[in-house]
Amino acid sequence: MPRSKRARVVHESKTVKKDHKEQTRRLYANIRECVEEYDRLFVFSVDNMRNTYLKDVRAEFGDSRLFFGKTKVMAVALGTAPENEAADNLHKLCSYLTGAVGLLFTSRPAESVIQYFENFRPSDFARAGTVATRSFTLPNGLVTARGGEIPADQDEPVSHTIEPALRKLGIPTRLVKGKVMLELTEGQEGYPICREGETLDSRQTTILKMFGITSSEFKVDLKAMWTRETGEIKILEESGMETDA
């Protein structure tokens, strides 16, 4: 029996397919325009990428242009060789366009840009696969909201409602008169969650977040700078000191 036309579902909303060729063309054109408009160009890399903090950087540099797109397209836009580069010596920056990198076009003084990124190091919760920057151990006894990170008289006990979640994560807790207690074998002073230098898994990062432990740092490292007036390339060390390329 043929299906009734009345049973058909008609979707009124339509999804417009992204035109990747148009996006590539626009990125190329915008970078070429910025080469002529701004005094200098920085190539930067991002450690522990967070869109929230990258938005903060964009807001701070509202008078500048920041690109965080496909590295191959950015390289082609700058120029991969002297014969096709957008301006003198820009092809020398292509070797830095690998990994999580972006371009910052600005007319601000170089010193102020370098100083800003040296000071912009917000802390955040670690993700699975990152390396622990510190050790964290839950002390024996009453489990508090910060897990012993602050004095007990300044902290408060965790809610009894999260005790099942703690046990599910492998932490030996139990309820005693409505209080969440960590009970370990004799001789143990605490329950280690992570140690500095080890690679964190999803279980560890979940526990760290539950206790408000931020062990990851969003960091933007400036790798190189190009100056339009002279065409000079500077390699920027992590300390902010500049050396000739």
Side-chain angles (χ1 to χ4, degrees):
M1 182 176 179
R3 184 179 180 184
S4 173
K5 292 183 178 180
R6 293 181 180 178
R8 291 182 180 178
V9 177
V10 179
H11 298 281
E12 296 182 356
S13 61
K14 294 183 179 180
T15 302
V16 179
K17 187 177 181 180
K18 290 185 178 180
D19 188 341
H20 294 290
K21 289 185 178 180
E22 175 60 23
Q23 288 180 329
T24 297
R25 186 202 65 76
R26 192 181 301 116
L27 176 60
Y28 177 93
N30 288 340
I31 290 176
R32 287 272 170 160
E33 290 176 3
C34 289
V35 170
E36 300 297 328
E37 181 179 352
Y38 295 95
D39 294 341
R40 54 189 56 85
L41 163 63
F42 291 89
V43 178
F44 64 88
S45 62
V46 179
D47 190 19
N48 291 317
M49 175 65 183
R50 296 290 195 278
N51 286 330
T52 300
Y53 298 130
L54 198 59
K55 287 180 181 178
D56 292 340
V57 175
R58 289 185 185 277
E60 167 65 27
F61 286 90
D63 57 350
S64 309
R65 288 294 300 274
L66 188 148
F67 297 95
F68 202 78
K70 293 182 178 180
T71 55
K72 289 184 178 179
V73 177
M74 293 192 295
V76 172
L78 295 179
T80 56
E83 57 268 20
N84 60 25
E85 61 186 2
D88 291 342
N89 291 327
L90 276 179
H91 74 279
K92 295 180 180 179
L93 293 178
C94 291
S95 60
Y96 298 99
L97 297 179
T98 57
V101 299
L103 303 176
L104 172 63
F105 288 92
T106 184
S107 293
R108 295 188 187 186
E111 293 77 12
S112 68
V113 176
I114 293 171
Q115 185 67 34
Y116 171 79
F117 285 112
E118 283 183 344
N119 296 327
F120 187 70
R121 303 290 176 88
S123 296
D124 205 340
F125 298 111
R127 293 178 176 177
T130 59
V131 176
T133 58
R134 51 159 295 180
S135 299
F136 176 60
T137 299
L138 278 177
N140 201 5
L142 179 66
V143 180
T144 57
R146 293 302 309 278
E149 289 292 289
I150 60 177
D153 59 349
Q154 299 176 22
D155 206 348
E156 58 183 21
V158 297
S159 171
H160 69 278
T161 59
I162 74 166
E163 196 274 334
L166 292 174
R167 272 191 289 110
K168 190 173 181 180
L169 289 166
I171 302 176
T173 58
R174 71 187 186 97
L175 286 176
V176 178
K177 297 181 179 180
K179 302 290 186 180
V180 181
M181 305 295 294
L182 177 67
E183 296 189 347
L184 305 172
T185 58
E186 187 176 351
Q188 284 185 287
E189 296 182 358
Y191 184 81
I193 303 301
C194 67
R195 301 190 184 281
E196 182 180 357
E198 72 173 335
T199 301
L200 299 172
D201 57 29
S202 59
R203 170 185 167 274
Q204 291 170 308
T205 56
T206 299
I207 296 172
L208 291 174
K209 189 172 184 178
M210 290 177 70
F211 289 97
I213 307 299
T214 56
S215 60
S216 181
E217 184 180 69
F218 176 88
K219 183 171 61 173
V220 174
D221 287 323
L222 299 177
K223 303 178 72 174
M225 180 186 73
W226 170 83
T227 304
R228 179 163 58 87
E229 183 178 1
T230 62
E232 185 180 16
I233 300 288
K234 293 280 188 179
I235 298 174
L236 303 176
E237 305 293 343
E238 290 185 0
S239 61
M241 299 299 293
E242 302 181 6
T243 57
D244 293 334

